[in-house]
Amino acid sequence: MTVFESRETLADTLHLHRAKHMSIGFVPTMGALHAGHISLVSRCREDNEVVVVSIFVNPAQFNDKNDLARYPRMLEADSEKLQAAGCDFLFAPAVEEMYPEEDRRQFDFGMLDKVMEGVYRPGHFNGVAQIVSKLFDTVQPQRAYFGEKDFQQLAVIRRMVKMLHYPVEIVGCPIVREADGLAMSSRNARLTVEQLKQAPVIADTLFQSRRKIAHTPLDELKRWVKDRINNTGGLEVEYFEIVDRETLQPAAGYRENELQGCIAVHAGDVRLIDNVTY
Ligand code: PAF
């Protein structure tokens, strides 16, 4: 595995591979890699001749400075995991490399970012689109891989790709969970022993709600999900929405396989998200 810090050097190297008609797959990450990330890299390895992974903690997508400062950074351990997973090229640029000057672009995602994460993390998706478009410009992948845990992010990125006419296939990959159901996240590393016992209630409640949805009015179900998690102790629901999987707008009634339940929960100062398909 070769590590690159410069956009230009990586782009030149990939150009040589593209000239040989080799397919290039790309997994953008912010590091602190867990089995969820590695599942993206493995899928990318299966589908492509060249596997590129980026690790970049993107300041533009953090609306909370403390969250940015606390975000775990562990490049050496991550490099070892990527090497073992069959990554060919790791791109780990400095902030100045990606933002030599302020990126003032404003993306219009229609209604996709007017709900859920878009409400609670203003500017977040604009920052995601800024960095993902810069990374796509550098890597020019044929396919790019994103986890479905960030369900809304996936929808926003698909929209960005359409708007900017990127010739890249966006591949969504399933959530990877711990044995107790907790969705894997780099932020889980910051949970205390006590919080690690409480947090699986989030997934358990979502799974139980899946069994109830066909015979429970959506408003009642939403209340039930929030109450069950809030009553656990140590957890506080920020939002729980049942939305249309395509438009992300709140659903009026149950339609099998067309709805997604999306949740954000605070465990102390750690913010966790998860989702399920109904
Ligand atoms: O999902 C993430 O880790 C980040 O939002 C991404 C897509 C790497 C952009 O910084």
Side-chain angles (χ1 to χ4, degrees):
M1 183 178 79
T2 314
V3 183
F4 293 86
E5 291 177 4
S6 141
R7 287 177 84 174
E8 198 180 332
T9 319
L10 174 64
D12 288 350
T13 303
L14 290 173
H15 180 69
L16 299 177
H17 289 75
R18 218 171 286 111
K20 290 186 209 152
H21 305 286
M22 294 174 86
S23 57
I24 296 172
F26 179 44
V27 183
T29 82
M30 297 205 297
L33 303 179
H34 50 69
H37 294 111
I38 299 305
S39 75
L40 304 181
V41 179
S42 303
R43 174 75 197 275
C44 183
R45 180 73 282 168
E46 279 168 29
D47 295 351
N48 302 279
E49 285 155 302
V50 179
V51 172
V52 184
V53 178
S54 64
I55 294 183
F56 180 68
V57 182
N58 172 34
Q61 71 187 75
F62 285 82
N63 52 319
D64 174 350
K65 292 275 168 289
N66 289 329
D67 196 20
L68 173 62
R70 285 191 303 242
Y71 204 85
R73 291 157 170 90
M74 43 187 80
L75 189 57
E76 210 165 300
D78 286 346
S79 304
E80 283 168 19
K81 289 180 189 169
L82 290 175
Q83 173 105 41
C87 169
D88 298 305
F89 301 132
L90 167 58
F91 182 44
V95 172
E96 307 75 55
E97 181 69 9
M98 296 316 291
Y99 295 103
E101 58 201 38
E102 197 187 339
D103 189 341
R104 294 180 181 278
R105 287 175 299 163
Q106 290 292 328
F107 294 84
D108 180 0
F109 302 114
M111 294 305 283
L112 288 181
D113 66 341
K114 306 290 181 292
V115 291
M116 304 191 290
E117 296 296 290
V119 173
Y120 290 93
R121 304 184 70 187
H124 168 68
F125 288 123
N126 202 63
V128 169
Q130 287 178 347
I131 193 63
V132 172
S133 65
K134 279 169 183 273
L135 291 167
F136 281 0
D137 289 340
T138 305
V139 178
Q140 297 180 37
Q142 228 158 297
R143 302 182 191 87
Y145 298 79
F146 295 86
E148 286 175 352
K149 184 169 79 69
D150 294 290
F151 191 80
Q152 193 171 4
Q153 169 172 279
L154 192 52
V156 161
I157 287 170
R158 288 191 201 282
R159 171 70 63 92
M160 180 200 81
V161 161
K162 220 174 192 174
M163 275 184 326
L164 300 183
H165 305 288
Y166 280 117
V168 52
E169 178 192 345
I170 301 299
V171 183
C173 299
I175 297 176
V176 178
R177 297 181 180 279
E178 302 287 354
D180 59 17
L182 179 63
M184 288 200 186
S185 162
S186 305
R187 293 168 200 267
N188 294 355
R190 294 186 40 240
L191 294 172
T192 63
V193 174
E194 192 58 24
Q195 288 167 335
L196 278 170
K197 286 185 199 144
Q198 296 160 338
V201 169
I202 302 167
D204 182 65
T205 305
L206 294 182
F207 297 153
Q208 290 207 36
S209 72
R210 225 165 23 191
R211 291 195 282 274
K212 286 173 169 283
I213 194 163
H215 53 86
T216 313
L218 296 189
D219 280 346
E220 195 180 307
L221 188 64
K222 285 203 273 188
R223 243 187 338 266
W224 179 82
V225 166
K226 288 183 205 167
D227 288 350
R228 187 166 189 266
I229 295 171
N230 286 334
N231 291 336
T232 296
L235 300 176
E236 197 185 332
V237 176
E238 185 168 71
Y239 68 77
F240 172 61
E241 294 291 348
I242 299 176
V243 298
D244 179 283
R245 281 174 59 80
E246 298 293 325
T247 65
L248 303 189
Q249 300 312 295
Y254 177 54
R255 287 173 283 125
E256 195 177 352
N257 290 327
E258 290 183 27
L259 307 184
Q260 202 75 10
C262 300
I263 196 161
V265 178
H266 288 277
D269 64 359
V270 184
R271 188 172 182 277
L272 302 171
I273 59 171
D274 200 346
N275 63 80
V276 282
T277 305
Y278 290 113

